[in-house]
Amino acid sequence: MYKLLIVDDEPQILEGMKRTLDWASYGFHRVETSETKDDAVSKAVELLPDIAIFDVCIGPDRGYDIINKLNELRIPAKYIMMSGYSEFEYAQEAIRCGVKDYLLKPVERSKLQQVIEKIIVEDLHGNLNGRSSEDLHTDPILGIPYDHLSKLTNRILMMVKAEYAQNITLKSVAECFRMNSTYLGQLFLKEAHMKFSEYLMAYRMLHARELILTTNDKIVSIALSVGYQNMNYFYTHFQSYFGKSPSELRKKG
């Protein structure tokens, strides 16, 4: 049985996160919430959560600073960061303090579910009570198990997941890691067997497909939400990747 701590300074967000998943079905017998830094630290020490979900901003404090404090206290939790902001500095700090994943608000149920299931299987060595877990160990684009990739490549993949909706480039990622972009690109290509730009496009395409099939959002809104300012580029990439247009996919879906 697992314990969960959710930390956000907005009560409605806390209530929403508590309802997003059927936590009990995953084995969580305690779900606690907190709205402040001091209360979060106090509850974490008392609860010793298996998983803790932190907003990046808790009032005047930063979620990753609180996580660093809990790391110093040796709280054995696996952390997830959520944020209404999509900026490199937040994603970078989240990676530095060892979070397992970084989710943008509003948090999508399917994304949260995937992250929780992955942590349960890979980090807590639990099971999903009949749920398929094969895809949790493998990157959906590369088809390579995450534990077969280096720590650096996994950090790059996390950065893409955090920043795909923005103007992320290999150069901006390299600057974030204080590395040469050419060297970083070569390392990524060697492990991933595709260029960074190809991976980014594929990730955006898969996310766009999910939104097309599961929402009624306009195609132009979906394109913008996955990082495309130019609709011609979006349609060209989508047609090339899936062999059909966004509207054709929605009709057949």
Side-chain angles (χ1 to χ4, degrees):
M1 301 294 281
Y2 307 122
K3 294 168 287 185
L4 173 71
L5 176 63
I6 309 172
V7 184
D8 195 298
D9 59 358
E10 298 182 54
Q12 65 272 26
I13 297 294
L14 293 175
E15 288 303 312
M17 290 296 291
K18 288 173 66 175
R19 294 193 300 267
T20 299
L21 295 183
D22 181 359
W23 296 105
S25 72
Y26 284 99
F28 289 90
H29 69 287
R30 285 189 65 183
V31 178
E32 299 288 342
T33 61
S34 181
E35 297 178 28
T36 67
K37 174 184 177 181
D38 291 341
D39 187 59
V41 172
S42 177
K43 284 187 176 177
V45 170
E46 182 272 326
L47 182 65
L48 296 180
D50 297 282
I51 299 177
I53 304 174
F54 276 80
D55 186 26
V56 73
C57 294
I58 312 296
D61 301 298
R62 293 291 178 263
Y64 44 76
D65 289 332
I66 305 174
I67 292 174
N68 281 327
K69 175 65 175 179
L70 297 180
N71 285 335
E72 292 175 3
L73 296 174
R74 300 185 183 277
I75 303 298
K78 305 302 177 184
Y79 297 103
I80 300 169
M81 184 76 73
M82 57 182 179
S83 173
Y85 308 90
S86 182
E87 296 184 8
F88 272 122
E89 64 176 289
Y90 295 127
Q92 184 179 17
E93 291 298 333
I95 291 171
R96 283 177 177 169
C97 69
V99 302
K100 302 300 296 186
D101 221 310
Y102 185 100
L103 302 173
L104 293 180
K105 289 181 175 180
V107 175
E108 296 178 28
R109 183 183 184 280
S110 62
K111 297 292 184 184
L112 178 62
Q113 181 178 12
Q114 183 180 29
V115 172
I116 293 296
E117 292 182 353
K118 188 172 186 290
I119 292 176
I120 289 175
V121 171
E122 296 186 357
D123 296 284
L124 304 181
H125 308 295
N127 62 70
L128 301 177
N129 298 321
R131 297 181 178 90
S132 174
S133 62
E134 293 180 4
D135 62 332
L136 301 179
H137 299 278
T138 303
D139 185 86
I141 296 168
L142 301 180
I144 301 174
Y146 291 111
D147 59 6
H148 288 189
L149 298 169
S150 68
K151 183 178 180 180
L152 177 60
T153 296
N154 274 297
R155 290 173 70 192
I156 294 172
L157 299 183
M158 184 187 291
M159 191 66 80
V160 171
K161 292 170 68 176
E163 300 291 329
Y164 70 91
Q166 306 302 314
N167 186 31
I168 180 175
T169 63
L170 179 62
K171 182 179 179 181
S172 62
V173 172
E175 289 175 350
C176 206
F177 294 155
R178 297 183 177 88
M179 296 180 66
N180 177 275
S181 60
T182 300
Y183 178 67
L184 187 66
Q186 290 172 343
L187 289 178
F188 186 83
L189 177 61
K190 183 177 180 180
E191 280 200 60
H193 305 294
M194 68 168 60
K195 295 178 181 179
F196 173 84
S197 59
E198 294 172 333
Y199 182 89
L200 175 61
M201 186 196 76
Y203 189 87
R204 285 170 165 168
M205 290 297 102
L206 290 182
H207 194 59
R209 180 181 66 179
E210 179 183 353
L211 293 174
I212 288 169
L213 293 175
T214 61
T215 75
N216 293 319
D217 294 348
K218 294 181 178 180
I219 302 300
V220 64
S221 297
I222 291 175
L224 290 170
S225 73
V226 298
Y228 280 87
Q229 301 294 323
N230 187 308
M231 288 301 298
N232 288 332
Y233 284 154
F234 176 75
Y235 278 108
T236 299
H237 287 178
F238 198 95
Q239 182 76 42
S240 175
Y241 197 82
F242 294 113
K244 59 186 69 175
S245 70
S247 57
E248 289 174 336
L249 179 68
R250 176 167 276 174
K251 289 178 182 178
K252 293 181 180 179

